[in-house]
Amino acid sequence: MKQFYVIGQPIEHSMSPAMHNEWFKQHQIPATYLAKNVSPADLKETVEQFRKDVNGFNVTAPLKVDVMSYLDEIDPLAKEIGAVNTVINQNGRLIGKNTDGIGFVKSLEPLLNKPITEESILIIGAGGAARAILYSLFHLGATNLTIANRSLERATSLLNDQMARKVQIQSLADAEMNLHKYSVIIQTTSIGMHPNEGLVPLSPMKIKKGTVVSDLIYNPYKTAFLIEAEKNDAIIQNGIGMFVNQGALAFEEWTGIFPNIEKAIKQLEINLGGHTC
């Protein structure tokens, strides 16, 4: 039986095993997917063991950067992002990829009226998730991109030379005043998670009707930022779609099959107390 894992710390509450094992069951693939708590200190030893007896694995915080040092090959996009979340084992040769950003874009596209290349996009935050989404959007041809962050220096540090000529940097205050200029707004920070469910990264009052507003948080199911954006007739999305799509892309890398994401999304919505269509 093939073996797959997700590693990170903490990892006990990961929803990935249930999702991947259901996909294996649906496609009658003899495989199992488990969560393994791995500290940075134990990462090298774990990767070398996986090289011998594991067919592939996902990587989550805080290991996505460190794991790159122990792989044989890194996909160009993952190299640009500077993080790996999916590893494929090809006969002992470990290949790292990053499906986070592309997974997010796949979850976003059904909500858009125009190609991603024609959207005016604001990314709030400048952490690892923002970087993965920024580089993936740029890779797919989006050029009307703005990053808003508390620290302008940190936002600027995300950009490579090519992006520096095309991606705008704004303070949160300036972005708040200019929200009406954007057709897509992506909230990537942890603001709105427990224990700060009532907080928002900036006021969404100037969001125009029909703007697609995505918050990568999915617990709570609907953040305060999404609730306020919805009052302005925005089209809202939480982070469930990104989570499922990045997992589905990893599953496809391992099996050659892109699984049924609709069932997985509905099950997660039920588990998180949300609503399904």
Side-chain angles (χ1 to χ4, degrees), residues 16 63 69 75 155 169 201 230 233 247 249 252 254 257 273:
S16 292
L63 308 175
S69 299
D75 174 79
I169 303 293
E230 193 172 34
D233 296 317
L249 288 169
E252 185 179 36
W254 297 326
I257 299 168

Side-chain angles (χ1 to χ4, degrees), residues 217-229:
I217 296 168
Y218 52 79
N219 192 9
Y221 180 79
K222 190 183 292 187
T223 61
F225 187 66
L226 290 184
I227 291 170
E228 293 303 313

Side-chain angles (χ1 to χ4, degrees), residues 80-124:
E80 287 188 342
I81 292 170
V84 160
N85 79 320
T86 299
V87 178
I88 305 103
N89 189 342
Q90 293 186 349
N91 300 315
R93 181 174 175 79
L94 300 181
I95 301 168
K97 296 196 173 187
N98 191 307
T99 65
D100 284 330
I102 299 296
F104 170 78
V105 177
K106 284 182 70 71
S107 75
L108 183 71
E109 285 179 329
L111 305 180
L112 305 179
N113 293 318
K114 298 182 292 185
I116 199 76
T117 54
E118 298 176 18
E119 299 286 0
S120 178
I121 303 170
L122 172 69
I123 299 172
I124 301 171

